[in-house]
Amino acid sequence: MSQPSTSTESQPAAPEEWAQLKRELPEWFRNAPFGIFIHWGAYSVPAWAEPIGALGTVKDPREWFTHNAYAEWYMNTIRIDGSPAQKHHQEVHGGVPYDELLDQWHAENFDPASWAELFKEAGADYVIPTTKHHDGIGLWDAPGTNGRNVVHRGPKQDLIGAIAGAVKEQGMHLGLYYSGGLDWHVRPFPPHISSDSVHDTDRPKDPGYAQYAYDHVADLIERYRPEILWNDIEWPDAGKHFGPGGLGTLFKEFYAACPTGVVNDRWGSTTHQDYGTSEYEAHKDAESFDAWENCRGIGFSFGYNQVEGTEQSLTGKQLARQLVDVVSRGGRFLLNVGPKADGTIPAIQRQSLTELGAWMAAGKQYLVGATPLDSAVAVPTDEPWIRWIDRGTEIVAFVDSLDESTTAIDLAPTGVRLEGATVEGSGATVTYDGGKLHVQLLADRVGPAVIRIPRT
């Protein structure tokens, strides 16, 4: 097993030290409503989880962890005695050690240029691949891993370098995900069966692991110059300082190397963040931040799950509604793609992204730089499905129907010129009569109709 380098104990930074890192959001991020997440790893070989529901909807923690819907948590779930994943791993994979899955992962059909082209066509502003998930396997030649990474085993290539180059070639912004909070290889705690275990009692907090994680992220910054650092779970407590190898120092180095960079909120509640992150139906408190992002998969898993089908997956229309809903409430949407082990994007995911792109071709421009609309002007509803945004000189209504038989909808916001309303694209027609705007939804719409209404 690889051993983290050691560091000396330092005192945790005081709140005023973290406060010195506060800064304005860069313009590009303020105007970036949509990003793509990528979860790809040795867990993509078995590609198996129970699709029991979205995170935040399964209330019993023991049930969630024992029947985990996240395929990328396979290494943890198969260690829980009596779990269906453990039984599946024994029956299908002979109970082999997890690292043998790394050697079975070949990525033989990996085409990063085609990935980036698909993401661009779907309307993405930024792309965030996973560099190291909780299983501890680096998707680049991570320092200190003693060859337990994809350059030396499995795919035998720098996957992050290939993705980063393709993303930048398409003019999108690069972010990088890193699991600083957990590493089941270098710090093999018992399997997690509770949220407290994940976020506190069974996560590494020691100086050696803090230095190990610091060295990784510093290397990622130096090699790939990301504009987003997306940490997960937490940061080892012993590293929450501004000394050598400390998180505060890491942030300073990141901002110096990437002046337009931002960091998320999963480094520890007492540290620093530029924006908050919710996940499916969980961590909703983050949506009260001035800047926030909601992340989720097309299905219930981030890593590819061969058990999922169309019944667990969002269509392009549904993705467009999710995106609009998030932006109308002041957030941005980070949608995950989980490639197969061979490097291909599953057909269901590709179709949903293509459908979303068809809507984004006309609709995205009205999400860029948008702000939530004052409720005194109009309020959102779910049936009919209506979301509102404010664009200064105009307001925009995004109108759809969850009940496909409902096609005629009336709008009556205040303080605007309803008679000047227009439709962007071909999702509906509008007429003005008697102080109301009559919207006729068209059956062939590819997502919510976009109704522009000028202010008085």
Side-chain angles (χ1 to χ4, degrees), residues 224-235:
Y224 308 115
R225 290 295 194 268
E227 289 183 274
I228 300 173
L229 291 183
W230 211 103
N231 187 60
D232 204 5
I233 304 295
E234 252 280 4
W235 193 256

Side-chain angles (χ1 to χ4, degrees), residues 131-156:
T131 67
K132 187 204 79 166
H133 205 259
H134 313 326
D135 60 8
I137 295 171
L139 271 69
W140 85 110
D141 195 6
T145 54
N146 295 336
R148 190 177 181 268
N149 60 62
V150 299
V151 175
H152 296 274
R153 296 174 62 178
K156 294 188 177 179

Side-chain angles (χ1 to χ4, degrees), residues 68-212:
N68 204 317
Y70 285 178
E72 69 276 10
W73 275 67
Y74 190 79
M75 183 177 177
N76 185 75
T77 317
I78 62 176
R79 294 187 296 144
I80 300 175
D81 288 340
S83 70
Q86 185 180 72
K87 180 180 179 182
H88 170 84
H89 187 61
Q90 183 63 45
E91 292 178 349
V92 177
H93 299 282
V96 299
Y98 183 83
D99 276 22
E100 289 195 19
L101 301 175
L102 170 58
D103 296 320
Q104 295 173 28
W105 177 24
H106 302 305
E108 62 271 21
N109 295 316
F110 174 43
D111 183 352
S114 71
W115 285 17
E117 183 178 355
L118 175 64
F119 303 155
K120 183 71 171 181
E121 290 177 352
D125 302 289
Y126 57 100
V127 178
I128 305 178
T130 299
T131 67
K132 187 204 79 166
H133 205 259
H134 313 326
D135 60 8
I137 295 171
L139 271 69
W140 85 110
D141 195 6
T145 54
N146 295 336
R148 190 177 181 268
N149 60 62
V150 299
V151 175
H152 296 274
R153 296 174 62 178
K156 294 188 177 179
Q157 59 176 304
D158 179 358
L159 300 178
I160 296 302
I163 295 169
V167 165
K168 293 179 179 181
E169 181 68 24
Q170 284 290 338
M172 295 178 288
H173 298 268
L174 176 71
L176 296 177
Y177 166 107
Y178 181 81
S179 174
L182 298 174
D183 192 311
W184 299 324
H185 179 71
V186 300
R187 291 294 184 266
F189 285 95
H192 304 291
I193 56 173
S194 71
S195 180
D196 186 59
S197 167
V198 172
H199 294 279
D200 186 17
T201 59
D202 293 321
R203 66 173 176 86
K205 305 175 183 181
D206 61 279
Y209 179 67
Q211 186 67 50
Y212 182 73

Side-chain angles (χ1 to χ4, degrees), residues 6 24 26 63 83 91 94 160 167 195 214 219 229 252 255 266 279 294 322 325 347 423 434:
T6 59
E24 292 292 326
E63 180 184 1
S83 70
E91 292 178 349
I160 296 302
V167 165
S195 180
Y214 171 93
D219 189 60
L229 291 183
K252 285 186 173 182
Y255 292 139
R266 300 191 181 193
E279 183 172 334
N294 174 253
Q322 175 77 5
D325 174 69
V423 178

Side-chain angles (χ1 to χ4, degrees), residues 316-318 320-321 355 359 399-400 427 441 444-450:
K317 285 184 180 181
Q318 291 169 321
R321 279 199 293 263
E355 292 171 352
W359 182 84
V399 183
D400 206 353
L441 295 173
D444 61 351
R445 65 188 183 278
V446 294
V450 182

Side-chain angles (χ1 to χ4, degrees), residues 393-410:
T393 59
E394 67 179 3
I395 67 173
V396 180
F398 296 86
V399 183
D400 206 353
S401 175
L402 304 182
D403 178 0
E404 293 300 326
S405 65
T406 303
T407 58
I409 297 168
D410 289 340

Side-chain angles (χ1 to χ4, degrees), residues 3 13 21 31 68 88 110 129 136 143 149 251 366 426:
Q3 295 297 322
L21 296 172
N31 293 323
N68 204 317
H88 170 84
F110 174 43
N149 60 62
F251 285 151
Y366 300 101
S426 58

Side-chain angles (χ1 to χ4, degrees), residues 373-443:
L373 182 65
D374 189 325
S375 60
V377 179
V379 295
T381 62
D382 286 337
E383 190 52 53
W385 192 94
I386 305 171
R387 297 293 185 270
W388 301 90
I389 62 171
D390 192 338
R391 290 181 53 82
T393 59
E394 67 179 3
I395 67 173
V396 180
F398 296 86
V399 183
D400 206 353
S401 175
L402 304 182
D403 178 0
E404 293 300 326
S405 65
T406 303
T407 58
I409 297 168
D410 289 340
L411 302 178
T414 61
V416 294
R417 291 195 300 109
L418 291 176
E419 65 274 19
T422 58
V423 178
E424 182 67 31
S426 58
T429 60
V430 295
T431 55
Y432 172 71
D433 179 31
K436 290 185 178 181
L437 191 66
H438 303 294
V439 179
Q440 183 72 33
L441 295 173
L442 303 181

